[in-house]
Amino acid sequence: KQLDVVRGNWLRCSSKGAGYVCLNSLVHKLIHVQRKHNWKFTLAQKTVGGASPATASALLAAGKLRDGLLTKLIDGFILVIHHLQALTRPDEIGVVDALRQEIAAMADPLARDASHVSRLADSFTGFAIKKNFHPERGRFFVLRRLGLKFREGLCVLPEAEVFPARCLGTLLKVGAKMQQVFSGTHTGPTALDTHFYCWYDLLQTATGLNAPAAVDLLWTCGITDGGLHNMFLGEDGLWFFDLGPPATM
């Protein structure tokens, strides 16, 4: 959706040297709108990556993530990891034994609650537990509620999006089968159903590894999600964007 920030006198050019103050003011004014409409704004993603920015995911989809570009991506990512390892304090690294004890204490499936997972355990999986599996605000539960709105036609959508939204709402329903939407091509339960409560298995798998590179924590400098969609890639370099707060994970 487009937001008319000009009419509301929100969008003004800053004076020289006051760019940060102006941008900070805009962000704080958008907070109310984001919460009201469940919008997400990501700033400056079209200008960070040089004159013609292309995300690594877009290059992959276009069949261009190969040869020199692929080598540049791998080498650049490894270099970043090495720098982050050098910035991680020794006391921040070895926590896996304490996490294994915490996970063992949650052996009873009837007593498990993703909202009770410690921050340390959550950070070990890239803060994926509470973000996705929290029983009130986790993304998986939000998807269930959104699916209900799609099925009941409670969202204001352009005409071209009504039918796709209804199909998505069908797939987001508990117990839905893929063949209800994809006739003859996909069958069986949806990924949301099969993975809805898999956070405990995720923790077990993450802490069940033994190699130091797999279980030692790392100071991230904000690169919580280092996915291909969160980096620009070109012949002249690699840029990360949409960073989160710096954390050890």
Side-chain angles (χ1 to χ4, degrees):
K1 287 182 177 293
Q2 291 185 339
L3 180 64
D4 190 351
V5 296
V6 177
R7 186 174 58 187
N9 198 31
W10 285 10
L11 189 62
R12 298 188 301 272
C13 293
S14 66
S15 57
K16 185 176 180 180
Y20 174 82
V21 175
C22 184
L23 182 59
N24 190 54
S25 174
L26 172 63
V27 169
H28 279 83
K29 288 178 180 179
L30 287 175
I31 288 176
H32 172 72
V33 181
Q34 291 186 88
R35 289 176 176 169
K36 181 179 179 181
H37 298 285
N38 290 320
W39 290 351
K40 178 184 178 183
F41 290 88
T42 305
L43 303 177
Q45 288 192 0
K46 294 298 183 182
T47 58
V48 176
S52 301
T55 62
S57 58
L59 292 170
L60 176 64
K64 298 179 180 179
L65 190 56
R66 50 188 172 82
D67 303 328
L69 274 180
L70 180 57
T71 300
K72 186 175 290 293
L73 169 64
I74 295 172
D75 291 345
F77 205 98
I78 291 175
L79 181 62
V80 169
I81 296 298
H82 286 167
H83 288 327
L84 293 176
Q85 285 176 326
L87 292 170
T88 307
R89 299 197 313 265
D91 61 293
E92 295 176 318
I93 295 175
V95 299
V96 68
D97 289 336
L99 292 179
R100 287 167 179 160
Q101 293 179 14
E102 177 182 346
I103 294 168
M106 296 186 288
D108 183 1
L110 299 179
R112 293 175 195 159
D113 188 333
S115 64
H116 296 160
V117 170
S118 70
R119 176 178 173 80
L120 184 61
D122 200 15
S123 70
F124 197 80
T125 56
F127 297 104
I129 304 300
K130 292 184 179 179
K131 178 174 68 176
N132 293 303
F133 300 98
H134 191 285
E136 295 177 4
R137 57 180 181 271
R139 289 180 176 179
F140 285 11
F141 291 84
V142 171
L143 282 173
R144 293 291 197 207
R145 297 194 294 269
L146 185 61
L148 178 61
K149 290 184 177 181
F150 283 159
R151 292 193 299 275
E152 296 184 351
L154 299 178
C155 296
V156 179
L157 299 170
E159 182 62 30
E161 295 181 1
V162 172
F163 180 69
R166 189 176 300 121
C167 292
L168 180 56
T170 299
L171 293 175
L172 293 175
K173 188 176 182 180
V174 177
K177 302 298 182 184
M178 296 292 290
Q179 57 265 34
Q180 292 177 250
V181 173
F182 300 99
S183 177
T185 56
H186 297 77
T187 60
T190 64
L192 186 60
D193 266 0
T194 57
H195 296 86
F196 200 80
Y197 295 106
C198 73
W199 63 267
Y200 183 77
D201 296 332
L202 176 62
L203 277 174
Q204 274 192 317
T205 301
T207 57
L209 302 171
N210 294 311
V215 296
D216 286 349
L217 292 192
L218 184 75
W219 186 73
T220 66
C221 190
I223 307 177
T224 304
D225 183 356
L228 295 180
H229 61 293
N230 281 338
M231 62 179 75
F232 289 118
L233 178 64
E235 294 293 346
D236 52 346
L238 175 67
W239 299 266
F240 291 90
F241 65 89
D242 200 10
L243 304 184
T248 304
M249 54 184 265

